[in-house]
Amino acid sequence: MTSTGVVIAGVGEAEVNWKTDLSAVDIMAVAVHRALADAGLGVTDVDGVFAISPYFWMPSLTLAEYLGVQPRVSDSTNMGGASVVAHVGHALRAIQAGACEVAVIAYASTQRSDTGRLVTGSDALPYERPYGPLFPISSYALVAQRHMYEHGTTREQLAQVAVTARQWAALNPGALKPEPITVEEVIASPLVSDPLRRLDCCLVSNGGGAVVVTTADRARRLPKKPVRVLGTGESHTHRHIAAMRDFTTTAATASSAAAWEMAGLGPRDMDVVQVYDAFTINTIVGLEDLGFCAKGDGGRLIEAGTGPGSKLPVNTSGGGLAYCHPGMFGIFLLVETVRQLRGECGARQVEAARHGVAHAFGGVFSGHATVVLGSDA
Amino acid sequence: MYTFTVVRQSPEPFFAARVPYVVAMIELIEGPRLMANIVDCNAASVHIGMPVSVLFDDLGDDVHVPLFRPATGATS
């Protein structure tokens, strides 16, 4: 395992709820201030600003303006839900190059209060538009259908992903859907885009979050235990689903391979796993493509158990299916991994968690970013 | 047919009036894949691997698009 010299020193969340009076930039700023306070830093320390939000054309500029920061490094890279996880890699390289020293990465949306639906600036592919696929669920449904055909993945296995998410959420006091559900209830919920049903879908909530990335040297003088950034990777093979090459294997294979190689670690070394679960099929495909099992075995891995007390704790906050989902879940994957590695997770804490991986999908299995994190023993 | 989904609802009136409808990825004999609707069939009978043939339809608004329907006389 090699050291990158870069750490996550602070995390924060804000307005994870069904109703808010704040704007998306208010929420990003609150989350940034909380993350800085968590790190023992202040806004005047910030010289790198990374942000994404469907509400702003130039998110890092909007956030920096609001914070009163003139950054040396600014990045609004949009890879959908994978953006902020990709930003960790971008921040790492900027910090390693000496381009900035304290970077904040933030996301927020108020979609629940504004529309009750996904708020997105996503553009449609002209060659898909006339046929009426629902964005984004039909794209994931096309993958799920093919996965079931090629690999025998069952409707029950998909449902188990949602059931397990609720089990984790029941241990998270901040979770918006902690009520338990059964496989039967998932399978009886209304079809939206076959084979995916209502309870296969992530929540539609408000919320935002932020993380602070800095050098290990700087973090040594800070009060909290830093979490080391050990590996990062990003990739994509398509933007729109009709251009996806292989509908059951994603570019998560490439982004995770890069992150594993950089970290000098692999799936077996991970104590805690976060895989962006916008829909139940995501967790299955994600675990396969990150190398936690062979291609096609993801459903069986879910059946074997990824809930509280299992050997493979996945989406320990409750994930997008049960914790919250303000349009893009990436920032919450990072926040949860950091909190698990610091031992701050209360009833849902994974015992002696030292290494964790966060993988985010963006678009329609399009953008991919993987981050491997570690704490000192 | 490479894969498909049956759309059950839509926020757009044009498509809401047509639910349930089939959105599929079609693999052409020549190799490329494209998205299209499957028409002239019961959505419940659609399955991966079923042979389909093209027709061109006028969806209105001067939009003419390729659609597919179950192939007649073909073997799967």
Side-chain angles (χ1 to χ4, degrees):
Chain A
M1 197 169 69
T2 53
S3 171
T4 62
V6 173
V7 303
I8 296 181
V11 298
E13 293 167 292
E15 296 295 297
V16 172
N17 59 28
W18 300 121
K19 193 173 178 303
T20 181
D21 295 322
L22 300 190
S23 72
V25 69
D26 290 332
I27 296 174
M28 281 200 286
V30 171
V32 164
H33 279 283
R34 285 179 180 165
L36 287 166
D38 184 52
L41 293 165
V43 75
T44 52
D45 295 306
V46 175
D47 61 356
V49 176
F50 296 69
I52 192 70
S53 168
Y55 282 80
F56 308 110
W57 183 240
M58 302 180 227
S60 61
L61 281 70
T62 298
L63 176 61
E65 174 184 82
Y66 190 107
L67 293 171
V69 168
Q70 181 182 347
R72 294 196 288 149
V73 172
S74 178
D75 189 335
S76 299
T77 301
N78 189 353
M79 292 169 59
S83 304
V84 294
V85 179
H87 291 177
V88 174
H90 301 184
L92 177 140
R93 288 189 282 281
I95 290 167
Q96 284 181 332
C100 65
E101 191 187 5
V102 176
V104 294
I105 302 172
Y107 171 80
S109 171
T110 52
Q111 60 174 13
R112 179 73 186 201
S113 289
D114 294 334
T115 69
R117 309 179 54 85
L118 175 68
V119 169
T120 174
S122 186
D123 47 293
L125 184 68
Y127 302 102
E128 295 181 0
R129 184 80 185 97
Y131 303 114
L134 298 175
F135 179 82
I137 186 173
S138 292
S139 297
Y140 288 95
L142 290 167
V143 168
Q145 193 85 261
R146 185 72 196 180
H147 202 278
M148 294 167 89
Y149 172 80
E150 280 190 27
H151 301 298
T153 303
T154 65
R155 209 17 287 198
E156 287 75 14
Q157 289 166 343
L158 289 169
Q160 184 60 49
V161 175
V163 170
T164 302
R166 294 292 188 97
Q167 290 168 353
W168 281 114
L171 303 176
N172 181 356
L176 297 179
K177 279 282 182 189
E179 302 84 6
I181 50 171
T182 64
V183 165
E184 293 71 29
E185 284 171 323
V186 178
I187 294 176
S189 67
L191 277 163
V192 180
S193 191
D194 302 23
L196 299 180
R197 295 171 179 269
R198 184 177 294 165
L199 288 175
D200 289 302
C201 302
C202 59
L203 310 178
V204 176
S205 77
N206 304 312
V211 302
V212 179
V213 185
T214 189
T215 63
D217 281 344
R218 183 80 179 249
R220 226 166 265 133
R221 306 192 296 272
L222 300 176
K224 276 204 178 177
K225 186 170 78 171
V227 169
R228 289 178 291 153
V229 181
L230 301 175
T232 66
E234 63 185 59
S235 189
H236 39 81
T237 55
H238 63 278
R239 162 66 183 87
H240 302 90
I241 202 72
M244 191 169 181
R245 293 167 194 168
D246 176 336
F247 272 50
T248 61
T249 300
T250 72
T253 53
S255 70
S256 64
W260 297 135
E261 187 184 353
M262 184 172 161
L265 296 169
R268 271 150 222 82
D269 301 308
M270 295 300 109
D271 303 307
V272 61
V273 179
Q274 316 296 327
V275 178
Y276 188 164
D277 56 340
F279 300 95
T280 51
I281 184 65
N282 296 36
T283 310
I284 290 173
V285 171
L287 289 172
E288 293 170 354
D289 289 350
L290 264 66
F292 286 93
C293 61
K295 176 51 65 181
D297 286 344
R300 285 178 282 280
L301 190 60
I302 293 293
E303 269 177 345
T306 58
S310 70
K311 281 187 196 155
L312 185 66
V314 177
N315 293 339
T316 51
S317 67
L321 291 166
Y323 171 34
C324 70
H325 194 277
M328 298 180 186
F329 194 72
I331 199 75
F332 300 98
L333 305 172
L334 298 171
V335 170
E336 178 69 8
T337 305
V338 168
R339 287 182 172 158
Q340 284 285 351
L341 297 181
R342 283 173 167 179
E344 295 176 342
C345 285
R348 68 181 190 282
Q349 179 65 45
V350 174
E351 209 178 323
R354 283 193 58 209
H355 296 121
V357 62
H359 180 82
F361 302 106
V364 287
F365 277 131
S366 326
H368 293 267
T370 312
V371 169
V372 179
L373 300 176
S375 64
D376 297 317
Chain B
M1 183 181 306
Y2 178 76
T3 189
F4 71 98
T5 183
V6 184
V7 177
R8 304 282 173 169
Q9 62 184 55
S10 177
E12 299 179 67
F14 178 89
F15 292 110
R18 287 161 175 74
V19 297
Y21 56 89
V22 179
V23 175
M25 291 300 300
I26 305 302
E27 194 162 82
L28 302 180
I29 290 167
E30 295 81 2
R33 283 192 212 126
L34 73 157
M35 184 178 282
N37 296 130
I38 307 298
V39 297
D40 297 345
C41 71
N42 183 337
S45 70
V46 172
H47 58 274
I48 289 176
M50 74 185 279
V52 292
S53 58
V54 71
L55 65 152
F56 290 87
D57 198 23
D58 178 358
L59 288 183
D61 281 342
D62 212 19
V63 178
H64 296 78
V65 296
L67 303 177
F68 289 81
R69 62 184 164 207
T72 49
T75 53
S76 55

